[in-house]
């Protein structure tokens, strides 16, 4: 396949509203040493696309500063962490046999070489991502999914949402037969956590809202509580013995009020703060019951390998809410922000 010189891409040149998403013609990136060039067939949106565009992450010394999740963004930046596509070119040091392979890209930038290295950067944030017809990636970050029965939109739904959810489950050491509580359950990470925890053999209690409750139940939750009501009271009713592991992207009051409902030796895994990041914790509830609060950022290489094994055999089937053309990235981000959907929103470049 001949690779053209230019491509359509959507990039941000500053922090701001959807007006800073610029749909434009740019040069096709050339794969560097040990890199490949992927023709993007589908790219999934994530909440981090909104926060990165808005600069909503703050800085450790200035919580109100405009910044990406790891600090200042190097503009212009092509957004999009979650890419499925086909390898169409390789850089020096990469086996040309990779060309033509159907792949999912691991979007993480790691702080070391081992299977448990920490993710410290992300495609679409610290390097250009997949809101484009082509994207480069390190050759070690493309995973062959040629035989997967999943369609490209489902494959592209996996890296951030399912990677993050699997990272939470692994760091929280969720075991078969345990009770898991999942917050933000209709969202990308939350729905993935419901499906993955269920596949692990856990009893899954989810928190969602309004008309999305039924879809969360269909995705595999045994019980779904409505966050429009008194969540801790509902939780006492459906899990009188308490929960073993909480897979939480909301934090805020949920963590403050929910901590006493965690069983002896339980784990509260936090990967988001949609409900507020400055929390009040009665530490007696922690040490008197051997409970752990665990911070969880994305996945490790080992988690991603596990996720790709599941993708190859379709052990999990991501739910696709809607697909937009690349030129409508702003409408797609608006829809993500309205949070009326269930499942993943994608672009097809
Ligand atoms: N740590 C990491 O590595 C990592 C990776 C990815 C995402 N995240 C973070 O995880 C969070 C969720 O990301 P996502 O991509 O899954 O987002 P998403 O698709 O927008 O889903 C978020 C869901 O949370 C619920 N929600 C929204 N606002 C809420 C509030 N104020 N209180 C309680 N629930 C609320 C809604 O579900 P219901 O209406 O069903 O309750 C919503 O659908 C974000 O904070 C994101 O930045 C972290």
């Amino acid at each position: 396949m001949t690779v053209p010189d230019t491509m359509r891409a959507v990039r941000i040149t500053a922090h701001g509203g959807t007006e800073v998403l610029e749909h434009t013609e740019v040069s096709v990136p050339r794969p560097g040493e040990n890199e490949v060039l992927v023709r993007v067939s589908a790219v999934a949106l994530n909440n981090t696309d909104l926060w990165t565009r808005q600069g909503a992450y703050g800085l450790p010394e200035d919580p109100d500063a405009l910044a990406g999740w790891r600090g200042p963004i190097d503009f212009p930046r092509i957004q999009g962490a979650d890419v499925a596509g086909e390898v169409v070119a390789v850089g020096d040091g990469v086996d040309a046999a990779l060309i033509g392979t159907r792949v999912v890209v691991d979007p993480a930038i790691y702080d070391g070489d081992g299977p448990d290295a920490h993710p410290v950067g992300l495609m679409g944030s610290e390097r250009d991502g997949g809101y484009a017809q082509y994207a480069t990636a390190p050759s070690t970050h493309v995973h062959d999914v040629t035989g997967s029965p999943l369609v490209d939109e489902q494959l592209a739904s996996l890296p951030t949402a399912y990677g993050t959810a699997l990272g939470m489950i692994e760091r929280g050491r969720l075991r078969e037969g345990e009770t898991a509580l999942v917050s933000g359950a209709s969202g990308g990470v939350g729905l993935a956590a419901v499906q993955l925890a269920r596949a692990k053999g856990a009893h899954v209690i989810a928190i969602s809202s309004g008309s999305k409750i039924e879809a969360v139940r269909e995705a595999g939750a045994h019980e779904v509580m409505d966050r429009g009501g008194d969540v801790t009271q509902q939780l006492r009713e459906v899990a009188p013995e308490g929960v073993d592991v909480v897979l939480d992207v909301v934090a805020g009051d949920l963590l403050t009020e929910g901590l006493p409902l965690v069983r002896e030796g339980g784990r509260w895994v936090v990967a988001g703060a949609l409900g507020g990041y400055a929390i009040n914790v009665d530490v007696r509830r922690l040490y008197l019951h051997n409970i752990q609060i665990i911070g969880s950022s994305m996945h490790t290489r080992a988690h991603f390998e596990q996720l790709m094994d599941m993708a190859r055999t379709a052990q999990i089937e991501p739910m696709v809410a809607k697909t937009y053309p690349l030129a409508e990235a702003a409408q797609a981000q608006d829809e993500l922000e309205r949070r009326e959907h269930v499942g993943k929103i994608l672009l097809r470049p």
Side-chain angles (χ1 to χ4, degrees), residues 43-108:
V43 57
L45 273 64
N46 291 287
N47 190 71
T48 191
D49 301 7
L50 308 180
W51 280 39
T52 300
R53 191 200 72 221
Q54 294 159 356
Y57 286 99
L59 292 170
E61 64 280 10
D62 180 4
D64 296 324
L66 292 182
W69 75 291
R70 299 298 300 191
I73 297 290
D74 190 8
F75 296 115
R77 176 60 76 223
I78 298 174
Q79 293 205 278
D82 292 351
V83 168
E86 182 191 346
V87 176
V88 290
V90 298
D92 287 346
V94 183
D95 188 348
L98 264 183
I99 294 174
T101 311
R102 185 186 188 215
V103 294
V104 171
V105 181
D106 178 353

Side-chain angles (χ1 to χ4, degrees), residues 50-301:
L50 308 180
W51 280 39
T52 300
R53 191 200 72 221
Q54 294 159 356
Y57 286 99
L59 292 170
E61 64 280 10
D62 180 4
D64 296 324
L66 292 182
W69 75 291
R70 299 298 300 191
I73 297 290
D74 190 8
F75 296 115
R77 176 60 76 223
I78 298 174
Q79 293 205 278
D82 292 351
V83 168
E86 182 191 346
V87 176
V88 290
V90 298
D92 287 346
V94 183
D95 188 348
L98 264 183
I99 294 174
T101 311
R102 185 186 188 215
V103 294
V104 171
V105 181
D106 178 353
I109 298 167
Y110 296 102
D111 68 352
D113 291 330
D116 303 321
H118 300 291
V120 292
L122 185 66
M123 264 175 85
S125 176
E126 282 63 49
R127 63 180 284 154
D128 280 339
Y131 282 23
Q133 291 176 301
Y134 297 88
T136 58
S139 62
T140 49
H141 285 219
V142 293
H143 293 256
D144 187 342
V145 287
T146 306
S148 173
L150 300 180
V151 297
D152 285 358
E153 285 91 340
Q154 290 177 306
L155 290 169
S157 298
L158 292 171
T160 302
Y162 287 75
T164 299
L166 188 59
M168 296 166 83
I169 285 171
E170 291 296 317
R171 293 183 182 107
R173 306 183 305 284
L174 177 66
R175 290 182 293 262
E176 186 179 353
E178 287 191 322
T179 298
L181 173 66
V182 180
S183 66
S186 69
V189 178
L191 203 68
V194 166
Q195 289 181 299
L196 290 167
R198 180 72 194 253
K200 189 120 194 155
H203 181 74
V204 181
I205 302 171
I207 308 170
S208 183
S209 64
S211 59
K212 297 179 279 186
I213 286 178
E214 215 34 58
V216 172
R217 205 186 302 279
E218 277 167 27
H222 293 94
E223 309 276 355
V224 189
M225 303 182 301
D226 190 343
R227 70 178 160 96
D230 181 340
V231 169
T232 43
Q233 182 51 35
Q234 294 173 68
L235 189 54
R236 275 193 197 92
E237 284 162 22
V238 297
E241 317 264 286
V243 298
D244 298 293
V245 177
V246 184
L247 306 170
D248 183 20
V249 293
V250 169
D253 291 345
L254 177 67
L255 209 166
T256 304
E257 290 161 19
L259 206 56
L261 306 178
V262 177
R263 274 185 191 154
E264 299 293 325
R267 289 82 68 199
W268 191 298
V269 189
V270 189
L274 290 166
Y277 52 83
I279 55 158
N280 238 324
V281 169
D282 179 345
V283 293
R284 295 170 299 182
R285 300 281 74 77
L286 286 181
Y287 71 80
L288 293 176
H289 304 280
N290 286 302
I291 289 167
Q292 298 173 344
I293 297 179
I294 300 170
S296 188
S297 187
M298 294 174 60
H299 53 267
T300 63
R301 283 192 185 87

